[in-house]
């Protein structure tokens, strides 16, 4: 079963890289581990038939968001002092405990929730099918997204510009 | 045979790793990275159920989530730059003037 093998390869690599994102000391390595997570997720999307989203995942996340992260990291040029973990012991313990409890709860939900009633035929998420849906049923959210991005651009420029010379 | 439940458990594990990161790291940039992990876990869940139900609406939601995440990262990193410039730190605990 090639599907099973690839599922376990992608998932284990993804989870290992996610743990590296959380645990690694240097933010630079964390960003690069997040890149591995993105590529593994893209592979899982291909296995689920979401071809367009797999391409978008690589293009937008790996291409735009992570490059932005790396750019800001290099711009800030963090000193080693500012990367020191908090010496509060309670924070990692609380985080791991909460995450473990949530994982147990989510696994119970996943195994007990009812599956779709009939094994339906999966539609492949090609550009054509998604574009048809996007410009017919989701036209208004699509247009509102452009306003959101415009607001984000203006907000980012206003925030990072610094004090106005008035 | 890989079922939907496999994908749900993988997504839950990814989400919980992100949650542990948000709760345990104090660097603002690391918190943003871990929030990205959690968003991607939700995306995986949407795509898995989109396949299980045989329609594409879940994949549309993921499309919008990716767009919103890009906008969120832009503003969040601008705030991080501003914080570094004004307070000279990226520690989330150091910014507490709005704490009650």
């Amino acid at each position: 079963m090639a599907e099973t093998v690839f599922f376990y390869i992608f998932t284990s690599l993804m989870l290992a890289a996610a743990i590296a994102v959380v645990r690694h000391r240097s933010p630079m390595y964390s960003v690069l581990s997040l890149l591995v997570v993105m590529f593994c997720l893209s592979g899982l999307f291909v296995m689920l038939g979401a071809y367009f989203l797999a391409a978008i995942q690589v293009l937008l996340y790996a291409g735009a968001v992570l490059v932005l992260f790396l750019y800001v990291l290099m711009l800030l040029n963090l000193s080693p002092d500012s990367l020191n973990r908090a010496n509060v012991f309670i924070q990692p313990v609380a985080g791991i405990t909460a995450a473990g409890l949530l994982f147990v709860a989510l696994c119970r939900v996943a195994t007990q929730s009812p599956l779709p009633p009939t094994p339906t035929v999966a539609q492949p998420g090609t550009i054509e099918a998604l574009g048809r849906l996007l410009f017919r049923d989701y036209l208004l959210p699509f247009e509102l997204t452009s306003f959101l991005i415009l607001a984000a651009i203006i907000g980012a420029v206003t925030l990072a510009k610094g004090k106005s010379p008035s | 045979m890989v079922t939907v439940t496999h994908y749900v458990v993988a997504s839950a594990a990814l989400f919980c790793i992100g949650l542990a990161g948000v709760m345990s790291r104090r660097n603002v940039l690391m918190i943003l990275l871990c929030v990205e992990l959690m968003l991607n876990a939700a995306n995986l869940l949407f795509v898995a159920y989109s396949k299980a139900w045989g329609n594409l609406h879940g994949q549309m939601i993921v499309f919008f989530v990716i767009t919103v995440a890009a906008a969120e990262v832009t503003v969040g990193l601008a705030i991080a730059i501003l914080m570094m410039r004004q307070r000279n730190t990226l520690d989330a605990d150091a910014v507490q003037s709005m704490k009650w």
Side-chain angles (χ1 to χ4, degrees):
Chain A
M1 286 296 266
E3 192 192 358
T4 313
V5 172
F6 275 109
F7 174 78
Y8 283 112
I9 288 175
F10 280 134
T11 306
S12 54
L13 191 59
M14 178 181 79
L15 294 181
I19 291 174
V21 170
V22 173
R23 293 304 302 164
H24 210 286
R25 214 180 139 70
S26 159
M28 191 67 80
Y29 288 106
S30 292
V31 173
L32 294 178
S33 302
L34 193 63
L35 190 69
V36 177
V37 175
M38 296 304 170
F39 274 104
C40 292
L41 267 174
S42 180
L44 287 178
F45 283 176
V46 169
M47 285 173 58
L48 285 166
Y51 308 115
F52 177 61
L53 285 183
I56 285 290
Q57 180 89 8
V58 173
L59 280 178
L60 247 174
Y61 263 122
V65 171
L66 292 187
V67 168
L68 196 64
F69 262 108
L70 283 179
Y71 187 79
V72 169
L73 269 181
M74 292 175 183
L75 182 72
L76 290 181
N77 197 12
L78 297 175
S79 62
D81 286 342
S82 64
L83 294 178
N84 277 340
R85 292 229 187 103
N87 40 16
V88 189
F89 178 67
I90 195 70
Q91 276 176 349
V93 174
I96 290 170
T97 310
L101 289 178
L102 183 66
F103 181 67
V104 172
L106 286 178
C107 282
R108 281 188 69 86
V109 170
T111 49
Q112 291 180 0
S113 62
L115 286 178
T118 51
T120 47
V121 183
Q123 284 179 290
T126 56
I127 296 179
E128 188 192 349
L130 277 182
R132 214 176 279 278
L133 197 61
L134 179 63
F135 289 109
R136 204 173 47 204
D137 294 349
Y138 288 90
L139 188 58
L140 182 64
F142 180 69
E143 295 294 338
L144 289 179
T145 305
S146 65
F147 276 103
L148 180 76
I149 293 177
L150 183 66
I153 292 171
I154 294 174
V157 169
T158 313
L159 280 174
K161 189 180 60 174
K163 287 198 177 100
S164 60
S166 62
Chain B
M1 186 62 196
V2 183
T3 59
V4 183
T5 312
H6 287 78
Y7 286 102
V8 175
V9 172
S11 163
L14 191 60
F15 188 88
C16 293
I17 291 171
L19 177 70
V22 169
M23 287 183 72
S24 62
R25 299 301 293 259
R26 291 294 76 184
N27 192 324
V28 172
L29 285 174
M30 294 308 302
I31 291 177
L32 269 177
L33 275 180
C34 296
V35 168
E36 290 299 310
L37 273 184
M38 294 164 79
L39 280 171
N40 277 289
N43 284 352
L44 181 60
L45 200 60
F46 271 119
V47 175
Y49 274 113
S50 168
K51 187 193 181 192
W53 286 92
N55 62 37
L56 292 177
H57 294 278
Q59 298 191 15
M60 285 318 304
I61 300 287
V62 173
F63 179 76
F64 288 117
V65 168
I66 290 177
T67 318
V68 172
E72 170 243 327
V73 162
T74 315
V75 178
L77 288 177
I79 292 175
I81 290 177
L82 195 66
M83 194 173 156
M84 195 68 189
R85 196 183 287 156
Q86 291 194 345
R87 301 287 177 97
N88 205 18
T89 179
L90 278 178
D91 193 354
D93 288 337
V95 184
Q96 52 183 1
S97 58
M98 285 181 75
K99 207 170 176 182
W100 187 52

